[in-house]
Amino acid sequence: KRELSLEEQTLNVIHGLTARIQEMTPKVEFFDTVADAKGDRTIMDTAKLLKIDKPRKLYEMLRNDGITMSDNIPYQQYIYQGYFRVNVSVNNGHTNSTTYVTNKGLIWLEKKYKKAGAR
């Protein structure tokens, strides 16, 4: 078996690194978007970032995975972990709750549902 020349070895390393960079590029772009973002996001914005076609689908996934209750409010443990924030307001005697996803929660959801857009 013939030994590879230094040039061939170098080219193999370069090809391997190039393939790895191409593989990592979408992840880097996603994390750059999250890192540059200010504040928390609505479920609608989160679904768009995760490339899930409808916010309703994301709500359904969160309910099915036991992350949110039937009213789409996250269970307290996920709020304590810093993944979600819930804003409660009272208008004309009616209580409204809005769920927001934090940057930490967006990264967590991206890892959990990275192939969700294809579901």
Side-chain angles (χ1 to χ4, degrees), residues 49-110:
L49 285 169
L50 296 177
K51 295 180 175 38
I52 297 172
D53 53 354
K54 296 178 183 153
R56 217 174 347 164
K57 185 175 180 181
L58 179 55
Y59 276 124
E60 181 182 323
M61 292 162 61
L62 293 170
R63 281 191 309 272
N64 289 342
D65 289 340
I67 297 167
T68 60
M69 297 176 261
S70 60
D71 59 0
N72 295 323
I73 302 297
Y75 284 101
Q76 197 63 47
Q77 72 186 66
Y78 298 105
I79 294 171
Y80 286 151
Q81 289 174 311
Y83 299 145
F84 300 95
R85 179 178 62 81
V86 178
N87 186 38
V88 179
S89 60
V90 178
N91 295 322
N92 297 327
H94 297 284
T95 304
N96 297 313
S97 299
T98 306
T99 298
Y100 294 94
V101 179
T102 65
N103 283 346
K104 181 179 180 181
L106 182 59
I107 292 168
W108 178 69
L109 290 171
E110 194 275 336

CSV table of all heavy atoms in Angstrom, one decimal, residues 49-110:
chain,number,residue,atom,x,y,z
A,49,LEU,N,-38.7,30.9,13.0
A,49,LEU,CA,-37.3,30.7,13.1
A,49,LEU,C,-37.0,29.2,13.1
A,49,LEU,O,-35.9,28.8,12.6
A,49,LEU,CB,-36.8,31.3,14.4
A,49,LEU,CG,-36.6,32.8,14.4
A,49,LEU,CD1,-36.4,33.3,15.8
A,49,LEU,CD2,-35.5,33.2,13.5
A,50,LEU,N,-37.9,28.3,13.6
A,50,LEU,CA,-37.6,26.9,13.6
A,50,LEU,C,-38.1,26.2,12.3
A,50,LEU,O,-38.0,25.0,12.1
A,50,LEU,CB,-38.4,26.2,14.7
A,50,LEU,CG,-37.9,26.6,16.2
A,50,LEU,CD1,-38.8,26.0,17.2
A,50,LEU,CD2,-36.5,26.3,16.4
A,51,LYS,N,-38.5,27.1,11.3
A,51,LYS,CA,-39.0,26.6,10.0
A,51,LYS,C,-40.2,25.6,10.1
A,51,LYS,O,-40.2,24.6,9.4
A,51,LYS,CB,-37.9,26.0,9.2
A,51,LYS,CG,-36.8,27.1,8.8
A,51,LYS,CD,-35.7,26.5,8.0
A,51,LYS,CE,-34.7,27.4,7.5
A,51,LYS,NZ,-34.3,28.5,8.3
A,52,ILE,N,-41.1,25.9,11.1
A,52,ILE,CA,-42.3,25.1,11.3
A,52,ILE,C,-43.4,26.0,10.6
A,52,ILE,O,-43.5,27.1,10.9
A,52,ILE,CB,-42.6,24.9,12.8
A,52,ILE,CG1,-41.5,24.1,13.4
A,52,ILE,CG2,-43.9,24.2,12.9
A,52,ILE,CD1,-41.5,23.9,14.9
A,53,ASP,N,-44.1,25.4,9.6
A,53,ASP,CA,-45.0,26.1,8.8
A,53,ASP,C,-46.1,26.9,9.5
A,53,ASP,O,-46.5,27.9,9.0
A,53,ASP,CB,-45.5,25.3,7.6
A,53,ASP,CG,-46.2,24.0,8.1
A,53,ASP,OD1,-46.1,23.7,9.3
A,53,ASP,OD2,-46.7,23.3,7.3
A,54,LYS,N,-46.6,26.4,10.6
A,54,LYS,CA,-47.7,27.0,11.3
A,54,LYS,C,-47.5,27.1,12.8
A,54,LYS,O,-47.1,26.1,13.4
A,54,LYS,CB,-49.0,26.3,11.0
A,54,LYS,CG,-49.4,26.3,9.6
A,54,LYS,CD,-50.7,25.5,9.3
A,54,LYS,CE,-51.0,25.5,7.9
A,54,LYS,NZ,-51.7,24.4,7.4
A,55,PRO,N,-47.7,28.2,13.4
A,55,PRO,CA,-47.6,28.3,14.9
A,55,PRO,C,-48.5,27.2,15.6
A,55,PRO,O,-48.1,26.7,16.6
A,55,PRO,CB,-48.1,29.7,15.2
A,55,PRO,CG,-47.9,30.5,14.0
A,55,PRO,CD,-48.1,29.5,12.9
A,56,ARG,N,-49.6,26.9,15.0
A,56,ARG,CA,-50.5,25.9,15.6
A,56,ARG,C,-49.8,24.6,15.7
A,56,ARG,O,-50.0,23.8,16.6
A,56,ARG,CB,-51.7,25.8,14.6
A,56,ARG,CG,-53.0,25.6,15.3
A,56,ARG,CD,-54.2,25.6,14.3
A,56,ARG,NE,-53.7,26.1,13.0
A,56,ARG,CZ,-54.4,26.0,11.9
A,56,ARG,NH1,-55.5,25.4,11.9
A,56,ARG,NH2,-54.0,26.6,10.8
A,57,LYS,N,-49.0,24.3,14.7
A,57,LYS,CA,-48.2,23.0,14.7
A,57,LYS,C,-47.2,23.0,15.9
A,57,LYS,O,-47.1,22.0,16.5
A,57,LYS,CB,-47.5,22.8,13.4
A,57,LYS,CG,-46.8,21.5,13.2
A,57,LYS,CD,-46.3,21.4,11.8
A,57,LYS,CE,-45.5,20.1,11.6
A,57,LYS,NZ,-45.0,20.0,10.3
A,58,LEU,N,-46.6,24.1,16.1
A,58,LEU,CA,-45.6,24.2,17.2
A,58,LEU,C,-46.4,24.1,18.5
A,58,LEU,O,-45.9,23.3,19.4
A,58,LEU,CB,-44.8,25.5,17.2
A,58,LEU,CG,-43.8,25.7,18.3
A,58,LEU,CD1,-42.8,24.6,18.4
A,58,LEU,CD2,-43.1,27.1,18.2
A,59,TYR,N,-47.5,24.7,18.7
A,59,TYR,CA,-48.3,24.6,19.9
A,59,TYR,C,-48.7,23.1,20.1
A,59,TYR,O,-48.6,22.6,21.2
A,59,TYR,CB,-49.6,25.4,19.8
A,59,TYR,CG,-49.5,26.8,20.2
A,59,TYR,CD1,-49.8,27.8,19.4
A,59,TYR,CD2,-49.0,27.2,21.5
A,59,TYR,CE1,-49.8,29.2,19.7
A,59,TYR,CE2,-48.9,28.5,21.9
A,59,TYR,CZ,-49.3,29.5,21.0
A,59,TYR,OH,-49.2,30.8,21.4
A,60,GLU,N,-49.1,22.4,19.1
A,60,GLU,CA,-49.5,21.0,19.2
A,60,GLU,C,-48.3,20.2,19.6
A,60,GLU,O,-48.4,19.3,20.4
A,60,GLU,CB,-50.0,20.6,17.8
A,60,GLU,CG,-50.4,19.1,17.8
A,60,GLU,CD,-50.9,18.7,16.4
A,60,GLU,OE1,-51.5,19.5,15.7
A,60,GLU,OE2,-50.6,17.5,16.0
A,61,MET,N,-47.1,20.4,19.0
A,61,MET,CA,-45.9,19.7,19.4
A,61,MET,C,-45.6,19.9,20.8
A,61,MET,O,-45.2,18.9,21.5
A,61,MET,CB,-44.7,20.1,18.5
A,61,MET,CG,-44.9,19.7,17.0
A,61,MET,SD,-43.9,20.6,15.8
A,61,MET,CE,-42.3,20.2,16.4
A,62,LEU,N,-45.6,21.1,21.3
A,62,LEU,CA,-45.3,21.4,22.7
A,62,LEU,C,-46.3,20.7,23.6
A,62,LEU,O,-45.9,20.2,24.7
A,62,LEU,CB,-45.4,22.9,22.9
A,62,LEU,CG,-44.3,23.7,22.2
A,62,LEU,CD1,-44.5,25.2,22.3
A,62,LEU,CD2,-42.9,23.4,22.8
A,63,ARG,N,-47.6,20.7,23.3
A,63,ARG,CA,-48.6,20.0,24.1
A,63,ARG,C,-48.3,18.5,24.1
A,63,ARG,O,-48.3,17.8,25.1
A,63,ARG,CB,-50.0,20.3,23.6
A,63,ARG,CG,-50.6,21.6,24.0
A,63,ARG,CD,-52.0,21.7,23.7
A,63,ARG,NE,-52.4,21.4,22.4
A,63,ARG,CZ,-52.4,22.3,21.3
A,63,ARG,NH1,-52.1,23.5,21.5
A,63,ARG,NH2,-52.8,21.8,20.1
A,64,ASN,N,-48.1,17.9,22.9
A,64,ASN,CA,-47.9,16.5,22.8
A,64,ASN,C,-46.6,16.0,23.6
A,64,ASN,O,-46.5,14.9,24.0
A,64,ASN,CB,-47.7,16.1,21.3
A,64,ASN,CG,-49.1,16.1,20.6
A,64,ASN,OD1,-50.1,16.2,21.2
A,64,ASN,ND2,-49.0,16.2,19.3
A,65,ASP,N,-45.6,16.9,23.7
A,65,ASP,CA,-44.4,16.6,24.4
A,65,ASP,C,-44.4,16.9,25.9
A,65,ASP,O,-43.4,16.8,26.6
A,65,ASP,CB,-43.2,17.2,23.7
A,65,ASP,CG,-42.9,16.6,22.3
A,65,ASP,OD1,-43.3,15.5,22.1
A,65,ASP,OD2,-42.2,17.3,21.5
A,66,GLY,N,-45.6,17.4,26.3
A,66,GLY,CA,-45.8,17.6,27.8
A,66,GLY,C,-45.0,18.9,28.2
A,66,GLY,O,-44.7,19.0,29.4
A,67,ILE,N,-44.8,19.8,27.3
A,67,ILE,CA,-44.1,21.1,27.7
A,67,ILE,C,-45.1,22.1,28.0
A,67,ILE,O,-44.9,22.9,28.9
A,67,ILE,CB,-43.2,21.5,26.5
A,67,ILE,CG1,-42.1,20.5,26.3
A,67,ILE,CG2,-42.6,22.9,26.7
A,67,ILE,CD1,-41.3,20.6,25.0
A,68,THR,N,-46.3,22.1,27.3
A,68,THR,CA,-47.3,23.1,27.6
A,68,THR,C,-48.6,22.4,28.0
A,68,THR,O,-48.8,21.2,27.6
A,68,THR,CB,-47.6,24.1,26.5
A,68,THR,OG1,-48.0,23.3,25.3
A,68,THR,CG2,-46.4,24.9,26.1
A,69,MET,N,-49.5,23.1,28.7
A,69,MET,CA,-50.7,22.5,29.1
A,69,MET,C,-51.7,22.7,28.0
A,69,MET,O,-51.4,23.2,26.9
A,69,MET,CB,-51.3,23.2,30.4
A,69,MET,CG,-50.4,23.0,31.6
A,69,MET,SD,-50.9,24.0,33.0
A,69,MET,CE,-49.8,25.4,32.9
A,70,SER,N,-52.9,22.2,28.1
A,70,SER,CA,-53.9,22.3,27.1
A,70,SER,C,-54.3,23.7,26.7
A,70,SER,O,-54.7,24.0,25.6
A,70,SER,CB,-55.2,21.6,27.5
A,70,SER,OG,-55.8,22.2,28.6
A,71,ASP,N,-54.0,24.7,27.6
A,71,ASP,CA,-54.3,26.1,27.3
A,71,ASP,C,-53.0,26.8,26.7
A,71,ASP,O,-52.9,28.0,26.6
A,71,ASP,CB,-54.8,26.9,28.5
A,71,ASP,CG,-53.8,26.8,29.6
A,71,ASP,OD1,-52.7,26.2,29.5
A,71,ASP,OD2,-54.1,27.4,30.7
A,72,ASN,N,-52.0,26.0,26.3
A,72,ASN,CA,-50.7,26.5,25.7
A,72,ASN,C,-49.8,27.2,26.6
A,72,ASN,O,-48.9,27.9,26.2
A,72,ASN,CB,-51.0,27.3,24.4
A,72,ASN,CG,-51.6,26.4,23.3
A,72,ASN,OD1,-51.3,25.3,23.2
A,72,ASN,ND2,-52.5,27.0,22.6
A,73,ILE,N,-50.1,27.2,27.9
A,73,ILE,CA,-49.2,27.8,28.9
A,73,ILE,C,-48.2,26.7,29.3
A,73,ILE,O,-48.5,25.6,29.6
A,73,ILE,CB,-50.0,28.2,30.2
A,73,ILE,CG1,-51.1,29.2,29.8
A,73,ILE,CG2,-49.1,28.8,31.2
A,73,ILE,CD1,-50.6,30.5,29.1
A,74,PRO,N,-46.9,27.1,29.3
A,74,PRO,CA,-45.9,26.1,29.7
A,74,PRO,C,-46.0,25.6,31.1
A,74,PRO,O,-46.4,26.4,32.0
A,74,PRO,CB,-44.5,26.8,29.5
A,74,PRO,CG,-44.9,28.1,28.8
A,74,PRO,CD,-46.3,28.4,29.0
A,75,TYR,N,-45.6,24.4,31.4
A,75,TYR,CA,-45.6,23.9,32.7
A,75,TYR,C,-44.5,24.7,33.5
A,75,TYR,O,-43.5,25.2,32.9
A,75,TYR,CB,-45.3,22.4,32.8
A,75,TYR,CG,-46.5,21.6,32.4
A,75,TYR,CD1,-46.6,21.0,31.2
A,75,TYR,CD2,-47.5,21.4,33.4
A,75,TYR,CE1,-47.7,20.3,30.8
A,75,TYR,CE2,-48.6,20.6,33.0
A,75,TYR,CZ,-48.7,20.1,31.8
A,75,TYR,OH,-49.8,19.4,31.4
A,76,GLN,N,-44.7,24.9,34.8
A,76,GLN,CA,-43.8,25.8,35.6
A,76,GLN,C,-42.4,25.4,35.5
A,76,GLN,O,-41.5,26.2,35.5
A,76,GLN,CB,-44.3,25.7,37.0
A,76,GLN,CG,-43.7,26.9,37.9
A,76,GLN,CD,-44.2,28.2,37.4
A,76,GLN,OE1,-45.4,28.4,37.1
A,76,GLN,NE2,-43.3,29.1,37.3
A,77,GLN,N,-42.0,24.1,35.4
A,77,GLN,CA,-40.6,23.7,35.4
A,77,GLN,C,-39.9,24.3,34.2
A,77,GLN,O,-38.7,24.6,34.2
A,77,GLN,CB,-40.5,22.1,35.3
A,77,GLN,CG,-41.0,21.5,34.0
A,77,GLN,CD,-41.0,20.0,34.0
A,77,GLN,OE1,-41.8,19.4,34.8
A,77,GLN,NE2,-40.1,19.4,33.3
A,78,TYR,N,-40.6,24.4,33.0
A,78,TYR,CA,-40.0,25.0,31.8
A,78,TYR,C,-39.8,26.5,32.0
A,78,TYR,O,-38.9,27.1,31.4
A,78,TYR,CB,-40.8,24.6,30.6
A,78,TYR,CG,-40.8,23.1,30.4
A,78,TYR,CD1,-41.9,22.4,30.6
A,78,TYR,CD2,-39.6,22.4,30.0
A,78,TYR,CE1,-41.9,21.0,30.5
A,78,TYR,CE2,-39.6,21.1,29.8
A,78,TYR,CZ,-40.7,20.3,30.1
A,78,TYR,OH,-40.7,19.0,29.9
A,79,ILE,N,-40.7,27.1,32.7
A,79,ILE,CA,-40.6,28.6,33.0
A,79,ILE,C,-39.4,28.8,34.0
A,79,ILE,O,-38.5,29.6,33.7
A,79,ILE,CB,-41.9,29.1,33.6
A,79,ILE,CG1,-43.0,29.1,32.6
A,79,ILE,CG2,-41.6,30.6,34.1
A,79,ILE,CD1,-44.4,29.4,33.1
A,80,TYR,N,-39.3,27.9,35.0
A,80,TYR,CA,-38.2,28.0,35.9
A,80,TYR,C,-36.8,27.8,35.2
A,80,TYR,O,-35.8,28.3,35.6
A,80,TYR,CB,-38.3,27.0,37.1
A,80,TYR,CG,-39.3,27.3,38.1
A,80,TYR,CD1,-40.0,26.3,38.8
A,80,TYR,CD2,-39.7,28.6,38.4
A,80,TYR,CE1,-41.0,26.6,39.8
A,80,TYR,CE2,-40.6,28.9,39.4
A,80,TYR,CZ,-41.3,27.9,40.0
A,80,TYR,OH,-42.2,28.2,41.0
A,81,GLN,N,-36.8,26.9,34.2
A,81,GLN,CA,-35.6,26.6,33.5
A,81,GLN,C,-35.2,27.8,32.6
A,81,GLN,O,-34.1,27.7,32.0
A,81,GLN,CB,-35.7,25.3,32.7
A,81,GLN,CG,-35.7,24.1,33.6
A,81,GLN,CD,-36.0,22.8,32.8
A,81,GLN,OE1,-36.9,22.7,32.0
A,81,GLN,NE2,-35.2,21.8,33.0
A,82,GLY,N,-36.1,28.7,32.4
A,82,GLY,CA,-35.7,29.9,31.6
A,82,GLY,C,-36.0,29.8,30.2
A,82,GLY,O,-35.6,30.6,29.3
A,83,TYR,N,-36.8,28.8,29.8
A,83,TYR,CA,-37.2,28.6,28.4
A,83,TYR,C,-38.3,29.4,27.9
A,83,TYR,O,-38.4,29.8,26.7
A,83,TYR,CB,-37.5,27.1,28.1
A,83,TYR,CG,-36.4,26.1,28.4
A,83,TYR,CD1,-36.7,24.9,28.9
A,83,TYR,CD2,-35.1,26.4,28.2
A,83,TYR,CE1,-35.7,23.9,29.1
A,83,TYR,CE2,-34.1,25.5,28.4
A,83,TYR,CZ,-34.4,24.3,28.9
A,83,TYR,OH,-33.4,23.4,29.1
A,84,PHE,N,-39.2,29.8,28.8
A,84,PHE,CA,-40.4,30.5,28.5
A,84,PHE,C,-40.7,31.6,29.5
A,84,PHE,O,-40.2,31.5,30.7
A,84,PHE,CB,-41.7,29.6,28.5
A,84,PHE,CG,-41.6,28.5,27.5
A,84,PHE,CD1,-41.2,27.2,27.9
A,84,PHE,CD2,-42.0,28.7,26.2
A,84,PHE,CE1,-41.1,26.2,26.9
A,84,PHE,CE2,-41.9,27.7,25.2
A,84,PHE,CZ,-41.5,26.4,25.6
A,85,ARG,N,-41.5,32.6,29.1
A,85,ARG,CA,-41.9,33.6,30.0
A,85,ARG,C,-43.4,33.8,29.7
A,85,ARG,O,-43.8,33.8,28.5
A,85,ARG,CB,-41.2,35.0,29.7
A,85,ARG,CG,-41.6,36.1,30.6
A,85,ARG,CD,-40.8,37.4,30.3
A,85,ARG,NE,-40.9,37.8,29.0
A,85,ARG,CZ,-41.9,38.6,28.5
A,85,ARG,NH1,-42.9,38.9,29.3
A,85,ARG,NH2,-41.9,39.0,27.2
A,86,VAL,N,-44.2,34.0,30.7
A,86,VAL,CA,-45.7,34.1,30.5
A,86,VAL,C,-46.1,35.5,31.0
A,86,VAL,O,-45.8,35.9,32.1
A,86,VAL,CB,-46.5,33.0,31.2
A,86,VAL,CG1,-48.0,33.3,31.0
A,86,VAL,CG2,-46.1,31.7,30.6
A,87,ASN,N,-46.7,36.3,30.1
A,87,ASN,CA,-47.2,37.6,30.5
A,87,ASN,C,-48.7,37.5,30.7
A,87,ASN,O,-49.4,37.0,29.9
A,87,ASN,CB,-46.9,38.6,29.3
A,87,ASN,CG,-47.3,40.0,29.7
A,87,ASN,OD1,-47.1,40.4,30.8
A,87,ASN,ND2,-47.8,40.7,28.7
A,88,VAL,N,-49.1,37.9,31.9
A,88,VAL,CA,-50.5,37.8,32.3
A,88,VAL,C,-51.1,39.3,32.4
A,88,VAL,O,-50.5,40.1,33.0
A,88,VAL,CB,-50.7,37.1,33.6
A,88,VAL,CG1,-52.2,37.1,34.0
A,88,VAL,CG2,-50.2,35.7,33.6
A,89,SER,N,-52.2,39.5,31.7
A,89,SER,CA,-52.8,40.8,31.7
A,89,SER,C,-54.3,40.7,32.0
A,89,SER,O,-54.9,39.6,31.7
A,89,SER,CB,-52.6,41.6,30.4
A,89,SER,OG,-53.1,40.9,29.3
A,90,VAL,N,-54.9,41.7,32.5
A,90,VAL,CA,-56.3,41.7,32.8
A,90,VAL,C,-56.9,42.9,32.1
A,90,VAL,O,-56.5,44.0,32.2
A,90,VAL,CB,-56.6,41.8,34.3
A,90,VAL,CG1,-58.1,41.8,34.6
A,90,VAL,CG2,-55.9,40.7,35.1
A,91,ASN,N,-57.9,42.6,31.2
A,91,ASN,CA,-58.6,43.6,30.5
A,91,ASN,C,-60.1,43.4,30.7
A,91,ASN,O,-60.6,42.3,30.4
A,91,ASN,CB,-58.3,43.5,29.0
A,91,ASN,CG,-56.8,43.8,28.7
A,91,ASN,OD1,-56.3,44.7,29.3
A,91,ASN,ND2,-56.3,43.1,27.7
A,92,ASN,N,-60.8,44.4,31.2
A,92,ASN,CA,-62.2,44.3,31.4
A,92,ASN,C,-62.6,43.1,32.2
A,92,ASN,O,-63.6,42.4,31.9
A,92,ASN,CB,-63.0,44.3,30.0
A,92,ASN,CG,-62.8,45.6,29.3
A,92,ASN,OD1,-62.6,46.7,29.9
A,92,ASN,ND2,-62.8,45.5,28.0
A,93,GLY,N,-61.9,42.7,33.2
A,93,GLY,CA,-62.2,41.6,34.0
A,93,GLY,C,-61.8,40.2,33.4
A,93,GLY,O,-62.0,39.2,34.1
A,94,HIS,N,-61.2,40.2,32.2
A,94,HIS,CA,-60.8,39.0,31.6
A,94,HIS,C,-59.3,38.8,31.7
A,94,HIS,O,-58.5,39.8,31.5
A,94,HIS,CB,-61.2,38.9,30.1
A,94,HIS,CG,-62.6,38.9,29.9
A,94,HIS,ND1,-63.4,37.8,30.1
A,94,HIS,CD2,-63.5,39.9,29.5
A,94,HIS,CE1,-64.7,38.1,29.8
A,94,HIS,NE2,-64.7,39.4,29.4
A,95,THR,N,-58.8,37.7,32.1
A,95,THR,CA,-57.4,37.4,32.2
A,95,THR,C,-56.9,36.8,30.9
A,95,THR,O,-57.4,35.8,30.4
A,95,THR,CB,-57.1,36.5,33.4
A,95,THR,OG1,-57.7,37.0,34.6
A,95,THR,CG2,-55.6,36.2,33.6
A,96,ASN,N,-55.8,37.4,30.4
A,96,ASN,CA,-55.2,36.9,29.2
A,96,ASN,C,-53.7,36.5,29.5
A,96,ASN,O,-53.0,37.3,30.2
A,96,ASN,CB,-55.2,37.9,28.1
A,96,ASN,CG,-56.6,38.3,27.6
A,96,ASN,OD1,-57.4,37.4,27.4
A,96,ASN,ND2,-56.9,39.6,27.6
A,97,SER,N,-53.3,35.4,29.0
A,97,SER,CA,-51.9,34.9,29.2
A,97,SER,C,-51.3,34.8,27.8
A,97,SER,O,-51.9,34.2,26.9
A,97,SER,CB,-51.9,33.6,29.9
A,97,SER,OG,-52.4,33.7,31.2
A,98,THR,N,-50.1,35.3,27.7
A,98,THR,CA,-49.3,35.2,26.4
A,98,THR,C,-48.0,34.6,26.7
A,98,THR,O,-47.3,35.0,27.7
A,98,THR,CB,-49.1,36.6,25.8
A,98,THR,OG1,-50.3,37.3,25.7
A,98,THR,CG2,-48.4,36.5,24.4
A,99,THR,N,-47.7,33.5,26.0
A,99,THR,CA,-46.4,32.8,26.2
A,99,THR,C,-45.4,33.4,25.3
A,99,THR,O,-45.6,33.5,24.1
A,99,THR,CB,-46.6,31.3,25.9
A,99,THR,OG1,-47.6,30.8,26.8
A,99,THR,CG2,-45.3,30.5,26.0
A,100,TYR,N,-44.2,33.6,25.8
A,100,TYR,CA,-43.0,34.1,25.0
A,100,TYR,C,-41.9,33.0,25.2
A,100,TYR,O,-41.8,32.4,26.3
A,100,TYR,CB,-42.6,35.4,25.5
A,100,TYR,CG,-43.5,36.5,25.3
A,100,TYR,CD1,-44.5,36.9,26.2
A,100,TYR,CD2,-43.6,37.2,24.0
A,100,TYR,CE1,-45.4,37.9,26.0
A,100,TYR,CE2,-44.5,38.2,23.8
A,100,TYR,CZ,-45.4,38.5,24.8
A,100,TYR,OH,-46.3,39.5,24.5
A,101,VAL,N,-41.1,32.9,24.2
A,101,VAL,CA,-40.0,32.0,24.2
A,101,VAL,C,-38.7,32.8,24.4
A,101,VAL,O,-38.5,33.8,23.6
A,101,VAL,CB,-39.9,31.2,22.9
A,101,VAL,CG1,-38.7,30.2,22.9
A,101,VAL,CG2,-41.1,30.4,22.7
A,102,THR,N,-37.9,32.5,25.3
A,102,THR,CA,-36.6,33.2,25.6
A,102,THR,C,-35.6,32.8,24.6
A,102,THR,O,-35.7,31.8,23.9
A,102,THR,CB,-36.1,33.0,27.0
A,102,THR,OG1,-35.8,31.6,27.1
A,102,THR,CG2,-37.2,33.3,28.1
A,103,ASN,N,-34.4,33.5,24.6
A,103,ASN,CA,-33.3,33.0,23.7
A,103,ASN,C,-32.9,31.6,24.1
A,103,ASN,O,-32.6,30.8,23.3
A,103,ASN,CB,-32.1,34.0,23.8
A,103,ASN,CG,-32.3,35.3,23.0
A,103,ASN,OD1,-33.2,35.3,22.2
A,103,ASN,ND2,-31.5,36.2,23.3
A,104,LYS,N,-32.8,31.4,25.4
A,104,LYS,CA,-32.4,30.1,25.9
A,104,LYS,C,-33.4,29.0,25.4
A,104,LYS,O,-33.0,27.9,25.0
A,104,LYS,CB,-32.3,30.1,27.4
A,104,LYS,CG,-31.9,28.8,28.1
A,104,LYS,CD,-31.8,28.9,29.6
A,104,LYS,CE,-31.4,27.6,30.2
A,104,LYS,NZ,-31.4,27.7,31.7
A,105,GLY,N,-34.7,29.4,25.5
A,105,GLY,CA,-35.7,28.5,25.1
A,105,GLY,C,-35.7,28.2,23.6
A,105,GLY,O,-35.9,27.1,23.1
A,106,LEU,N,-35.4,29.2,22.8
A,106,LEU,CA,-35.3,29.0,21.3
A,106,LEU,C,-34.2,28.1,21.0
A,106,LEU,O,-34.3,27.2,20.1
A,106,LEU,CB,-35.0,30.4,20.7
A,106,LEU,CG,-35.0,30.4,19.2
A,106,LEU,CD1,-36.3,29.8,18.5
A,106,LEU,CD2,-34.7,31.8,18.6
A,107,ILE,N,-33.0,28.2,21.6
A,107,ILE,CA,-31.9,27.3,21.4
A,107,ILE,C,-32.3,25.9,21.8
A,107,ILE,O,-32.1,24.9,21.1
A,107,ILE,CB,-30.6,27.7,22.1
A,107,ILE,CG1,-30.1,29.0,21.5
A,107,ILE,CG2,-29.6,26.7,22.1
A,107,ILE,CD1,-29.1,29.8,22.3
A,108,TRP,N,-33.0,25.7,22.9
A,108,TRP,CA,-33.4,24.4,23.4
A,108,TRP,C,-34.4,23.8,22.4
A,108,TRP,O,-34.3,22.6,22.1
A,108,TRP,CB,-34.0,24.6,24.8
A,108,TRP,CG,-34.6,23.4,25.4
A,108,TRP,CD1,-33.9,22.3,25.9
A,108,TRP,CD2,-36.0,23.1,25.7
A,108,TRP,NE1,-34.8,21.3,26.4
A,108,TRP,CE2,-36.0,21.8,26.3
A,108,TRP,CE3,-37.1,23.8,25.5
A,108,TRP,CZ2,-37.2,21.2,26.6
A,108,TRP,CZ3,-38.3,23.2,25.9
A,108,TRP,CH2,-38.4,22.0,26.4
A,109,LEU,N,-35.4,24.6,22.0
A,109,LEU,CA,-36.4,24.1,21.0
A,109,LEU,C,-35.8,23.7,19.7
A,109,LEU,O,-36.2,22.8,19.1
A,109,LEU,CB,-37.5,25.1,20.9
A,109,LEU,CG,-38.4,25.3,22.1
A,109,LEU,CD1,-39.4,26.5,21.8
A,109,LEU,CD2,-39.2,24.0,22.3
A,110,GLU,N,-34.8,24.5,19.3
A,110,GLU,CA,-34.1,24.2,18.0
A,110,GLU,C,-33.5,22.9,18.0
A,110,GLU,O,-33.5,22.1,17.1
A,110,GLU,CB,-33.1,25.3,17.6
A,110,GLU,CG,-32.6,25.3,16.2
A,110,GLU,CD,-31.5,24.3,15.9
A,110,GLU,OE1,-30.7,24.0,16.9
A,110,GLU,OE2,-31.4,23.9,14.8
